[in-house]
Amino acid sequence: MKSRYSHVLTLLGALLAFVPILAVDYLLDGYVNVREKQTSQQYVATISSQIEFGVKDTIASLRRILADSPSLCTPTFVANVQREIESSLNMKQVLVENADGVQYCDAFGRTVTYSPLAASLPVPGHTETITVVKLADMAMPALKITQTFGQTRRVSAFVPLMGQTQDALSSGLPTGTMVRVILTNGTPVLTIGDASSYDRRASSADFIYAQSFAGELPLKVEYAVPFAIARASYADLDFGFTVVACLMSAAFLLMALNYVRRSKVPAFDLERGIARGEIKPYYQPVINLRTGELMGCEVLCRWEKKNGQVVPPGAFIDYAEITGLAIPMTLSLMQQVKFDLGDISQMMPDLKISINLFEGHFRDDSIVEDVQAIFGNSQIRLDQLVFEITERHPLANSAVANSVIAGLHALGTRLAMDDAGTGHSNLAYLGTLGVDIIKIDRIFVDMVKPGTTQVPVLDGLIAMAKDLDCEIVAEGVETEAQALYLRARGVIQAQGFIFAPALKIGAFRELASALHATRTPRSRIEGIVASAA
């Protein structure tokens, strides 16, 4: 026992001898990474906001021109165009042409020379389209905002992608830094600085990277700076970090080791479970209350340990979220969903697959890249995906969270508010999030009993969802009376034990195939579920 104790002391002494040296680099690297990440995110958010403002301002000018002009190419029309150009900070030219590109008139009575650099894309929520073009001899790419007028004519306004010149943007960039604007389909629009070194990077840790979407426009701004370049500018902090590390390393390490010794390290247990693929997706069907058809499913999870024990999510989800393990756990689930539901999503193209996200997913933009990487080339289309956020833990109304939501929408996915009514949400909060689907929590559905004719709280949630023009999904439907009550009030989609519990992939496949093949009415769903399970 004494020998073992002395060995422990020797090991601690050796570790403590190296802690000051190792801690300085680790702490300084972490500080640089956090600070430069924040600065980079603010930079790309500023650029994307400028682009978004320029486009929206141009759309507003174009609409005023058309509203104030009874017809095109008249003196009144030209005067209105020139007035808007003079008052606008962004718009440079307005052109009237037909679908074949034949020009009728412009703001200054000359031929407008431009060439498209990419295909036209719709502007979400607007009737206009947007095209990246090369305008005359302008070095900066321009955006052509086009509105259809009548059957054959097109009225287009031209606005530079950004107000600054490329030289002005590149002058303040550190060596090796890249700023890139691309369309959401991957087409590059503008690249400033050295993009080749970033594209050939050996590891994502070699660069500090940030991205931001221009609102709901199909444009994304990327920024990357080599970590070594950013780190070099913090050399003056090395001494201070060394002093602090030397003073605190011994106490910190002893406290950490003491904590590990006293605890049963559940984090390592859960982390190993995720790495081994023990967190399995279960699929709860979402049923059409009118037709009995399968409309989609919610991806839930269970921890299936190797000893056969099945751990329900309530025992580990909160812990996973607190420790940050919810992020890799969600990635593992999405990978399994891709393989589990690929053929079913092809067989049922209208099937919607709901995946739960956590508040931590909205602290940076990596979840948008992860969704694109996992599902971008899979059998599951991006517009079949629904990502759920819970009302129990409201998101901070930050630029990063809004950028993540805009990025998910730009991919074509939809956003659902889970556990609606259990938190502190209001119409304004839900409106700012851009929620597409409201999921009513089971505690409100449970208020419907046999013979119930009115449940004010539930009716109010349904009315709120309709006011927001959102789809509605009722959770926890367990009785026929509840299903009939919801259907009578216009709720079409529901999930709950009256239809099926969360099923393993094999049972869910059988249920989906049976419902798809026979278009089974609601009265037979229970029997199918029982046989599938």
Side-chain angles (χ1 to χ4, degrees):
M1 190 68 170
K2 178 183 276 188
S3 175
R4 178 179 297 178
Y5 182 70
S6 64
H7 287 162
V8 171
L9 289 179
T10 300
L11 177 61
L12 289 177
L15 289 174
L16 290 172
F18 286 98
V19 161
I21 300 173
L22 298 176
V24 167
D25 285 338
Y26 176 79
L27 293 174
L28 187 56
D29 286 354
Y31 175 77
V32 171
N33 188 64
V34 171
R35 173 139 186 181
E36 290 298 314
K37 178 72 173 178
Q38 292 174 343
T39 303
S40 302
Q41 194 63 53
Q42 291 172 356
Y43 181 79
V44 294
T46 299
I47 293 179
S48 62
S49 296
Q50 290 176 356
I51 296 174
E52 181 185 12
F53 174 79
V55 171
K56 289 186 175 180
D57 180 63
T58 302
I59 289 175
S61 295
L62 187 58
R63 290 181 176 180
R64 284 194 295 269
I65 291 170
L66 295 176
D68 295 342
S69 304
S71 57
L72 302 179
C73 295
T74 63
T76 299
F77 174 80
V78 174
N80 290 335
V81 168
Q82 293 176 349
R83 182 197 67 221
E84 289 294 333
I85 290 177
E86 289 175 0
S87 62
S88 173
L89 296 174
N90 305 286
M91 191 165 61
K92 301 301 181 185
Q93 178 62 284
V94 173
L95 173 66
V96 179
E97 59 187 345
N98 65 14
D100 297 324
V102 177
Q103 299 184 10
Y104 295 110
C105 66
D106 73 297
F108 306 109
R110 56 177 181 251
T111 300
V112 179
T113 303
Y114 73 92
S115 56
L117 301 179
S120 297
L121 294 173
V123 180
H126 299 274
T127 56
E128 291 82 3
T129 60
I130 187 170
T131 310
V132 180
V133 300
K134 175 76 168 74
L135 179 62
D137 57 354
M138 185 184 298
M140 177 69 66
L143 300 177
K144 178 188 178 190
I145 314 298
T146 302
Q147 175 65 270
T148 301
F149 190 90
Q151 296 295 320
T152 60
R153 298 197 179 186
R154 309 286 187 268
V155 183
S156 302
F158 294 83
V159 56
L161 182 67
M162 286 183 279
Q164 308 97 315
T165 65
Q166 295 188 43
D167 290 339
L169 288 169
S170 61
S171 62
L173 295 179
T175 303
T177 302
M178 172 208 76
V179 177
R180 182 162 59 190
V181 181
I182 63 175
L183 296 173
T184 51
N185 62 11
T187 304
V189 175
L190 173 69
T191 301
I192 299 172
D194 182 12
S196 60
S197 59
Y198 174 74
D199 292 334
R200 296 195 308 267
R201 66 193 183 280
S203 169
S204 59
D206 294 340
F207 283 80
I208 293 174
Y209 173 84
Q211 67 173 10
S212 179
F213 290 85
E216 294 198 356
L217 299 177
L219 289 164
K220 180 172 70 171
V221 181
E222 295 181 313
Y223 176 91
V225 59
F227 182 81
I229 298 296
R231 174 72 159 74
S233 63
Y234 290 81
D236 56 331
L237 293 180
D238 275 347
F239 177 76
F241 269 93
T242 300
V243 172
V244 173
C246 289
L247 294 175
M248 297 185 62
S249 60
F252 177 80
L253 185 59
L254 287 173
M255 290 170 58
L257 292 174
N258 186 51
Y259 170 77
V260 171
R261 185 174 63 251
R262 287 187 291 106
S263 68
K264 297 182 179 180
V265 289
F268 294 161
D269 194 20
L270 180 57
E271 188 172 5
R272 284 196 295 267
I274 295 171
R276 293 171 179 169
E278 295 177 358
I279 309 300
K280 299 293 185 182
Y282 279 54
Y283 303 96
Q284 184 167 41
V286 176
I287 300 297
N288 188 311
L289 290 176
R290 289 181 179 171
T291 66
E293 292 180 274
L294 179 65
M295 299 191 70
C297 63
E298 179 180 356
V299 180
L300 304 172
C301 65
R302 304 289 186 271
W303 185 356
E304 297 183 354
K305 294 192 173 184
K306 290 190 177 296
N307 60 9
Q309 179 187 6
V310 178
V311 182
F316 62 89
I317 287 294
D318 288 343
Y319 183 79
E321 186 169 6
I322 292 172
T323 58
L325 292 173
I327 307 297
M329 183 178 71
T330 303
L331 293 180
S332 173
L333 288 171
M334 289 196 297
Q335 292 282 7
Q336 295 178 74
V337 168
K338 178 177 73 172
F339 292 108
D340 285 352
L341 300 184
D343 53 347
I344 296 177
S345 66
Q346 294 281 298
M347 178 180 69
M348 305 177 68
D350 294 329
L351 187 77
K352 301 300 182 184
I353 303 166
S354 295
I355 299 172
N356 289 279
L357 297 183
F358 300 90
E359 189 271 338
H361 285 108
F362 295 85
R363 296 176 186 172
D364 62 61
D365 289 317
S366 60
I367 183 61
V368 180
E369 292 183 338
D370 294 334
V371 171
Q372 176 70 49
I374 294 172
F375 294 105
N377 296 315
S378 72
Q379 291 178 297
I380 300 174
R381 301 192 318 275
L382 289 169
D383 62 4
Q384 290 181 284
L385 297 175
V386 177
F387 289 99
E388 299 188 13
I389 56 176
T390 178
E391 191 186 359
R392 299 180 194 273
H393 303 290
L395 302 180
N397 188 19
S398 66
V400 177
N402 293 333
S403 177
V404 172
I405 292 171
L408 292 173
H409 274 146
L411 292 178
T413 67
R414 306 177 77 197
L415 193 68
M417 175 60 72
D418 196 14
D419 308 317
T422 61
H424 305 285
S425 296
N426 51 40
L427 284 171
Y429 173 73
L430 295 176
T432 58
L433 289 181
V435 170
D436 306 295
I437 301 167
I438 299 292
K439 300 195 73 174
I440 298 176
D441 191 82
R442 65 180 304 150
I443 63 173
F444 302 105
V445 176
D446 283 343
M447 295 178 182
V448 179
K449 307 298 181 184
T452 298
T453 59
Q454 188 176 19
V455 181
V457 176
L458 177 58
D459 295 344
L461 285 172
I462 295 172
M464 180 186 72
K466 291 180 178 179
D467 288 341
L468 290 169
D469 195 24
C470 292
E471 292 184 19
I472 306 172
V473 178
E475 298 183 294
V477 180
E478 298 184 353
T479 68
E480 183 176 354
Q482 293 169 351
L484 292 174
Y485 184 94
L486 292 165
R487 186 176 68 179
R489 282 153 181 78
V491 178
I492 307 303
Q493 303 178 65
Q495 62 188 85
F497 279 22
I498 189 176
F499 307 115
L503 303 172
K504 289 187 176 183
I505 181 57
F508 182 77
R509 282 176 178 272
E510 293 183 29
L511 174 64
S513 298
L515 291 177
H516 179 71
T518 63
R519 305 295 186 189
T520 306
R522 189 176 68 257
S523 59
R524 293 181 55 202
I525 292 174
E526 185 176 353
I528 292 172
V529 172
S531 62

